[in-house]
Amino acid sequence: MGIIYSCIRDSFLSIRITVGALSTLSKDFREALRRANSDPGLPVPNPTASFWQEEPLCPGLVNTESDGLPEAVDIVIIGSGITGASIAHSILKECGSTHRVVMLEARQVCSGATGRNGGHIKARPYADFQLMKRRFGPERARAIVEFWVRHLKILMDLAMAEGVSAECREVETVDLFFHHDVFDEAREAAQSLANGIPDLAAKMHSWGAAEARKAFSVGDHVVGAISYPAGAVWPYRLITAILWSLLSSYPSSFSIETNTPVTSVTTNKERERPFTITTNRGSIKASHIIHATNAHASHLIPGIRGKLFGLRGQMSAQRPGKSFPKLNGTRSWSFIYRHGFDYITQRPGDGGEVMAGGGWAQSGDQGLCEIGVYSDDETNYLTGSHLSGIMPMAFGPKSWGEDGDGGRVKSMWTGSIGLTADLLPFVGKLDVSLTGRKLPSHCKATKKDLTAPAEWICAGYSGEGMVNAWLCGTALAVMVLGREDVDAKEELGKPGGRLFDWFPREMLISPKRVRDASVSRLIGLAGSAGLV
């Protein structure tokens, strides 16, 4: 979570090196801050090639578009990743074909962060709980952590229902530590979790250096480990399968328009559809606009610039060494250092690719060079050099061996991560002070089960989309439909109960929350949590 990296929660101490840089207000930081406060623009048209997007299961979906855009719809969803898919799934499953929904995507379908991430479905409860407890108290910290953790079952159920080979599975995840002080702090946090969420703490195990090296076949640089349940998935396959299924089930009420970037949003004088969404292919009038574009959200929402902004992350697909343990995709890893961390999964099957990402702290200028960078059309040389060498060093010559036939690195790519300056996603209705677009006072809902026209946002997962985005999207759909107080039954992809029985209010966006979110406040939060 937070300004620095795709997963502050995965390493408390990731923040230390960068806070030191921030505090000096160096030239590098001032330039990073300028970028973070700037318009991110549209996604670049020629991104690096992601391994996940090769050989799509639904090739007809990749560049899907209609002969022409509809003139008017009820709901426009901007973005076709996991968030957009969740929102569309929830609205269509709830309302059937009564609402006309169109999804607009600037590039190919699901070509943003969902098609570029590490495939982890992983919260880090012992670190998460400590950080959230200092901000919100133990009761709310527990609710937030449980929200993150429940995504594993939700996504596994969705994958099973779709019957798609998305490799969605439970894994044993292992946090490997390479510095004694970092491991000691993490172990203390894990022990304290027993008082806050004992059922999660009971599933964790701490390992000393010798037993960790033996149990997990890792090298002599490892000084300790903490293991616990998590998940992994081929995210692009899962989300494109869901989108394809929605198109097939709701052909008259749902469409996806790829290669259709939104260039502007304005208001008009219509009562029921007061928004005009302009694209490179024409305009659409709508009652509701949902911004599900994560790092690029502030392009159309100027009031959140500098509060939700981008960081470029880097991923790789690597062939396992000839001596690498054959685990059939049942384990994932995080390599946690004093400064920074890496995250790794392995695909199921004999010789499944090792999917390794991270290296932000090694990217140059203590990572500041990647803050506020939205172009995913090139890789970082220093980050790539780091990722290319971590596996044989972490696992040692006995457990890695010679590189696999064809060489170690199969492919490498980048992606834009959307970060918020207060460590939590922005979810909910957008105030006019954030959009700058005032609606006529006489506006009304187009349908009886829709709220009055509005703009909405669901974005800013700070690199943790797989344990945030689906249920944040589901929650937003409930808000758009005005059903927050309905005691709903549990359904596929959606928990039972009233909305705030399971969705943390702390993630709701408001003008005050946006106003209070800042780099200096983030540094204060880190300090209060004992991170600096």
Side-chain angles (χ1 to χ4, degrees), residues 325-385:
K326 298 184 184 302
L327 301 168
N328 195 29
T330 60
R331 184 174 293 159
S332 70
W333 305 262
S334 290
F335 299 167
I336 301 179
Y337 318 114
R338 185 173 291 118
H339 303 312
F341 68 99
D342 306 309
Y343 45 93
I344 301 96
T345 64
Q346 186 184 21
R347 292 188 54 224
D350 186 20
E353 287 86 356
V354 172
M355 312 300 290
W360 171 79
Q362 291 75 30
S363 63
D365 300 329
Q366 297 181 326
L368 291 174
C369 64
E370 299 292 350
I371 292 177
V373 176
Y374 301 91
S375 57
D376 52 8
D377 57 353
E378 62 181 1
T379 58
N380 181 292
Y381 171 79
L382 294 175
T383 301
S385 299

Side-chain angles (χ1 to χ4, degrees), residues 254-468:
F254 180 56
S255 61
I256 301 175
E257 308 293 340
T258 62
N259 303 301
T260 308
V262 176
T263 55
S264 70
V265 174
T266 56
T267 56
N268 57 59
K269 295 182 180 181
E270 291 195 12
R271 297 181 62 189
E272 295 185 343
R273 294 182 175 87
F275 294 107
T276 300
I277 301 94
T278 302
T279 78
N280 63 326
R281 297 174 53 214
S283 299
I284 306 173
K285 292 181 180 180
S287 177
H288 291 271
I289 302 175
I290 300 174
H291 299 267
T293 51
N294 209 25
H296 290 269
S298 70
H299 175 55
L300 297 172
I301 312 169
I304 61 171
R305 289 176 192 163
K307 310 307 177 87
L308 191 164
F309 49 90
L311 179 148
R312 185 167 59 190
Q314 194 151 319
M315 268 294 299
S316 67
Q318 304 186 26
R319 298 176 180 89
K322 293 184 177 180
S323 299
F324 195 68
K326 298 184 184 302
L327 301 168
N328 195 29
T330 60
R331 184 174 293 159
S332 70
W333 305 262
S334 290
F335 299 167
I336 301 179
Y337 318 114
R338 185 173 291 118
H339 303 312
F341 68 99
D342 306 309
Y343 45 93
I344 301 96
T345 64
Q346 186 184 21
R347 292 188 54 224
D350 186 20
E353 287 86 356
V354 172
M355 312 300 290
W360 171 79
Q362 291 75 30
S363 63
D365 300 329
Q366 297 181 326
L368 291 174
C369 64
E370 299 292 350
I371 292 177
V373 176
Y374 301 91
S375 57
D376 52 8
D377 57 353
E378 62 181 1
T379 58
N380 181 292
Y381 171 79
L382 294 175
T383 301
S385 299
H386 170 80
L387 292 176
S388 298
I390 57 174
M391 296 304 294
M393 287 300 298
F395 285 90
K398 290 184 179 179
S399 297
W400 184 259
E402 296 180 4
D403 283 342
D405 296 338
R408 187 180 308 161
V409 178
K410 194 170 184 178
S411 61
M412 191 169 288
W413 63 95
T414 52
S416 296
I417 296 165
L419 304 122
T420 65
D422 73 353
L423 309 179
L424 291 174
F426 287 163
V427 183
K429 185 185 295 185
L430 286 163
D431 189 79
V432 66
S433 64
L434 302 177
T435 66
R437 294 181 280 271
K438 187 175 181 179
L439 289 175
S441 58
H442 60 274
C443 288
K444 69 174 186 178
T446 55
K447 305 284 174 62
K448 64 178 182 179
D449 54 355
L450 270 179
T451 54
E455 288 188 69
W456 309 79
I457 187 172
C458 194
Y461 309 122
S462 301
E464 289 295 351
M466 300 311 295
V467 293
N468 272 293

